Amino acid sequence: MADALVRAFQEVGEIGKGAWFRGAPFWSWNDKLDPNELRRQIREFHQQGIGGFFMHARIGLDTVYLSDEWMQAVAASVEEAKRLGMLAWLYDEDKWPSGFAGGLVSGLGGEYNRHLLRAREIPVDWNMREFVPHERSLAVYLVTRKGRQWLQWQEVTGQPLNMSAHRGKVIVEFFVERDGYIDVMNPKAVEAFIRCTYDAYRAHFAAELGKTIPGIFTDEPQCNRHAYGWTGALPHEFRQRRGYDLRPHLPSLFYEVRLHGRDWQKVRHDYLRTMTELFVENFTKRLYEWCETYGLQLTGHFMAEDTLWSQIAFIGAAMPHYEFMQLPGIDQLGRSLLTPVTIKQCSSVARQLGRRVLSEMFGTSGWNTSLEDQRWMAEWQFALGVDYVCQHLSLYSLRGARKRDFPSSYLDHQPYWRYWHLVNNLFARTTFLLQQGHPVTDILVLHPISSAWCVYHPDDRAPCEGLTRALEAIARTLLGAHHDFDFGDEFLLQRHGKVVDGRLQVGRCAYKVVIVPPSISWWDSTLTLLQQFVEAGGHLLAVEPLPDRINGERDESITRFLKQHAKIVPNDAATLVEAINQWVDKRIAIFRDGNLATSIVCQERDFGDGR
């Protein structure tokens, strides 16, 4: 490295230097807040090599959230942070998940609250005298069932039913129920959240936005909860975006049936794509644009990013949201190593769009989490693309049950507190290096969330999780062979993907090899991009089983295309690595006891005059 880079590396390792490379823990405001005590704790953070903090309303808070007293506590903390050259990050909720504004928005009720689409089955037996529809019923069907087969579907919505004439059949009703969270797909509810929270902070701290206050954390927002997320505008939006009416196809969301010429996989794909689009457009993008207007960085993480099923069950898809975060992030819970898929989903978008990656790390790892534990948990994530540390968490108070709030806690109640700067200095030097140059990777793995949409069911994880296991196997195989890669999300491919000089370019990154993982369906825009990539001389590898659908609908043209233009391999580690090695130079190999150390991951960066 150049001498100037070495000097900067050494300097950022000194306490009080390089706030943007130093951690910013969740600072749990969980008691009656005293401005003098807040200032004292900030000075403790500074002495132990911390660069900032997230002011996080938490369980046990005894100061009224968003009150004048609350704002005075924030003001004292911002002032002290400014004096010490630290970063005072906002947090946009009273606890979590973000959106309800401590009850100010969710308490409005009605259309402001989240709705979930559900189904219920009512057998018509000898004791049944009448059927009373749900108060928010959408459709009612009489169904003839034989064993596990659902045969004849007769819609009887709004009709009086003679129970004696239908004994032995099953009434299946589709309805929406309301819960206490907000409707993140409803722009009216999201604007109310912005008005109550974001605008309130702007009114008090406009002069420090984008300066001492660099951004705001949104925590675990979600449009779904083990069902199908619903909003009042969804039927209209579905018709506009997908080109057909949703209501006659509601049974296909819960049952493997073909009605009115469309099969269940197509309907589920289209519904979940629409749900995801509405969530991204009406919540994440609106917060992103607000932050962009006032010079802030939207950061945080979304609920249940880890598997394909869990993403759909809460947020539709994780990767499309990251485009609309200035500092996208993830969450690591427990004293363990996350699946690389979770981290790579986020770091791939960050690489492609030129952003950093936050990780809320160490939560629920226990009171006896050591400095060494923190090091290995963080470095695993650093190698996979994380470069901003948010330690979970620092408890303002340990009084009463507060000490049991998902420890460990990092403040002067920790026996090793006076040594904590050692690991924080290490993190600062590492994340500094991770901001130099650019990552070296030639491989793009398409992300199969749209395939998981085709087979999602709220009560059956198995089909989606089969796709998750296959995807994770590919990720671990590539990383174990020390071939770095990025994921390609179809939303981002559609917006930012193009073929340039024989490579598939996504934002700032360009790939010479594209891998199609085991899958069911891809968008027509993705197929068009792959066709252009192959025509330009790009290398395409498809891992069995091959997809046979386009936009969720049966279409064997994609199968024919892959058989003609892709190298097809089974999901076997040795075969996959052998195929990749034909096209990608093997620059790094790490060995242990004479064998390839497949449990070690690495990241290679190009500094221009070296790597």
Side-chain angles (χ1 to χ4, degrees):
M1 293 184 291
D3 291 342
L5 184 59
V6 173
R7 287 195 298 272
F9 171 79
Q10 293 170 337
E11 182 174 293
V12 83
E14 300 175 14
I15 291 177
K17 303 289 182 65
W20 270 104
F21 303 108
R22 295 184 168 276
F26 265 178
W27 187 16
S28 171
W29 286 13
N30 63 352
D31 210 324
K32 189 72 171 176
L33 300 176
D34 177 354
N36 291 327
E37 176 62 13
L38 292 169
R39 291 175 184 274
R40 185 195 73 79
Q41 292 189 12
I42 292 171
R43 292 193 294 272
E44 288 284 342
F45 285 142
H46 187 257
Q47 290 171 10
Q48 291 305 318
I50 284 298
F53 46 82
F54 288 89
M55 294 170 280
H56 178 9
R58 197 81 182 180
I59 297 166
L61 178 65
D62 200 24
T63 294
V64 177
Y65 177 65
L66 294 182
S67 65
D68 289 343
E69 187 179 1
W70 171 270
M71 292 300 181
Q72 290 167 11
V74 174
S77 301
V78 171
E79 183 179 280
E80 190 70 13
K82 184 176 182 178
R83 187 181 72 81
L84 296 172
M86 298 174 72
L87 304 173
W89 291 86
L90 301 172
Y91 180 93
D92 70 1
E93 191 50 83
D94 180 8
K95 308 173 192 67
W96 66 94
S98 291
F100 63 96
L104 294 176
V105 178
S106 56
L108 296 172
E111 64 180 319
Y112 289 88
N113 288 156
R114 175 171 63 184
H115 289 75
L116 302 169
L117 173 62
R118 298 194 182 278
R120 63 170 179 166
E121 301 170 10
I122 306 170
V124 182
D125 57 27
W126 291 97
N127 296 320
M128 188 173 184
R129 294 179 177 273
E130 64 175 342
F131 165 70
V132 179
H134 190 277
E135 62 179 350
R136 296 185 182 89
S137 181
L138 297 177
V140 179
Y141 287 80
L142 270 174
V143 188
T144 303
R145 181 173 62 184
K146 184 177 181 181
R148 294 187 177 182
Q149 291 185 309
W150 297 79
L151 302 176
Q152 296 179 341
W153 288 76
Q154 176 189 358
E155 186 172 2
V156 293
T157 307
Q159 299 178 17
L161 294 177
N162 183 345
M163 295 295 102
S164 62
H166 300 295
R167 290 189 179 113
K169 294 185 178 182
V170 179
I171 295 173
V172 181
E173 183 182 29
F174 303 94
F175 63 96
V176 292
E177 66 176 9
R178 189 176 70 197
D179 69 10
Y181 184 53
I182 75 157
D183 182 356
V184 293
M185 294 186 281
N186 180 354
K188 188 175 179 180
V190 177
E191 289 300 329
F193 172 55
I194 291 173
R195 188 167 57 251
C196 290
T197 306
Y198 287 63
D199 286 343
Y201 282 123
R202 181 171 63 90
H204 284 82
F205 305 106
E208 292 300 333
L209 297 186
K211 299 173 184 176
T212 307
I213 300 175
I216 190 164
F217 193 110
T218 195
D219 201 2
E220 299 187 352
Q222 51 201 261
C223 65
N224 195 6
R225 193 188 68 195
H226 293 195
Y228 287 95
W230 182 270
T231 187
L234 198 145
H236 171 74
E237 292 292 340
F238 187 94
R239 172 75 184 184
Q240 292 293 109
R241 296 168 190 244
R242 308 285 87 91
Y244 63 97
D245 290 331
L246 171 63
R247 201 183 64 81
H249 299 281
L250 290 175
S252 295
L253 297 175
F254 297 88
Y255 302 90
E256 296 180 4
V257 296
R258 183 180 183 88
L259 296 175
H260 309 290
R262 288 186 175 84
D263 70 10
W264 57 278
Q265 293 193 31
K266 168 65 172 171
V267 176
R268 293 184 194 184
H269 173 282
D270 288 352
Y271 187 101
L272 292 165
R273 180 174 179 175
T274 304
M275 182 187 79
T276 303
E277 289 171 351
L278 292 175
F279 184 15
V280 172
E281 294 166 12
N282 291 319
F283 184 86
T284 312
K285 189 178 179 183
R286 287 173 185 268
L287 268 56
Y288 169 85
E289 290 174 344
W290 190 97
C291 288
E292 196 76 5
T293 298
Y294 298 106
L296 291 174
Q297 298 197 29
L298 178 65
T299 190
H301 80 97
F302 286 78
M303 184 70 177
E305 307 131 317
D306 302 300
T307 74
L308 299 179
W309 185 89
S310 67
Q311 287 181 48
I312 299 169
F314 285 95
I315 59 176
M319 291 184 71
H321 291 279
Y322 301 144
E323 178 179 0
F324 299 106
M325 303 181 81
Q326 286 86 355
L327 176 56
I330 61 164
D331 180 22
Q332 174 193 284
L333 295 175
R335 200 183 315 182
S336 61
L337 299 180
L338 276 178
T339 165
V341 170
T342 305
I343 308 172
K344 276 292 188 180
Q345 289 174 153
C346 191
S347 64
S348 297
V349 178
R351 284 178 172 182
Q352 291 157 0
L353 300 182
R355 298 171 189 171
R356 299 183 66 176
V357 179
L358 172 145
S359 176
E360 175 194 327
M361 56 179 75
F362 312 146
T364 74
S365 58
W367 273 107
N368 63 345
T369 303
S370 67
L371 300 182
E372 173 64 12
D373 289 328
Q374 295 168 48
R375 184 195 66 79
W376 63 254
M377 283 190 280
E379 289 185 345
W380 165 258
Q381 297 178 69
F382 293 157
L384 294 173
V386 168
D387 57 8
Y388 195 76
V389 176
C390 170
Q391 293 95 336
H392 185 295
L393 85 171
S394 297
L395 294 167
Y396 173 85
S397 170
L398 297 184
R399 189 166 63 90
R402 294 167 177 82
K403 65 179 68 67
R404 298 181 177 87
D405 181 12
F406 300 109
S408 185
S409 173
Y410 307 103
L411 245 172
D412 52 354
H413 41 247
Q414 267 289 359
Y416 58 62
W417 179 248
R418 60 179 173 161
Y419 303 109
W420 201 42
H421 66 277
L422 297 174
V423 72
N424 290 321
N425 291 346
L426 172 64
F427 291 171
R429 292 190 294 268
T430 305
T431 55
F432 170 80
L433 284 178
L434 290 172
Q435 282 296 293
Q436 310 310 309
H438 60 85
V440 179
T441 179
D442 296 316
I443 303 169
L444 183 73
V445 179
L446 299 185
H447 192 276
I449 191 69
S450 66
S451 290
W453 289 342
C454 292
V455 293
Y456 170 78
H457 192 283
D459 301 322
D460 185 5
R461 299 180 180 221
C464 289
E465 299 302 43
L467 290 167
T468 296
R469 287 191 297 272
L471 185 66
E472 183 163 327
I474 291 174
R476 291 191 181 277
T477 293
L478 292 174
L479 294 170
H482 310 127
H483 282 304
D484 203 356
F485 72 92
D486 289 330
F487 282 126
D489 174 71
E490 291 190 274
F491 283 93
L492 274 83
L493 288 172
Q494 188 178 57
R495 290 168 58 84
H496 302 284
K498 58 184 177 180
V499 177
V500 180
D501 297 330
R503 288 179 175 251
L504 180 52
Q505 183 174 320
V506 187
R508 298 186 178 189
C509 299
Y511 308 94
K512 64 187 293 187
V513 177
V514 175
I515 297 177
V516 180
S519 52
I520 296 168
S521 178
W522 298 98
W523 294 358
D524 54 355
S525 57
T526 303
L527 177 56
T528 298
L529 204 55
L530 293 179
Q531 290 168 337
Q532 295 170 353
F533 176 64
V534 168
E535 290 171 2
H539 302 297
L540 186 61
L541 188 149
V543 183
E544 296 175 317
L546 302 180
D548 61 0
R549 290 173 179 265
I550 295 292
N551 299 328
E553 193 163 20
R554 183 81 67 180
D555 188 335
E556 294 186 359
S557 64
I558 189 168
T559 312
R560 289 195 300 270
F561 167 75
L562 293 174
K563 287 181 177 179
Q564 292 173 4
H565 299 287
K567 183 177 182 63
I568 299 172
V569 299
N571 200 355
D572 168 77
T575 307
L576 181 59
V577 171
E578 181 182 359
I580 290 294
N581 286 342
Q582 295 176 10
W583 296 327
V584 178
D585 295 335
K586 185 73 173 176
R587 290 183 297 268
I588 295 175
I590 303 170
F591 290 85
R592 176 188 286 150
D593 300 328
N595 298 311
L596 195 67
T598 57
S599 63
I600 294 177
V601 298
C602 59
Q603 181 183 154
E604 181 182 6
R605 300 188 71 83
D606 187 344
F607 292 149
D609 61 349
R611 293 187 179 184

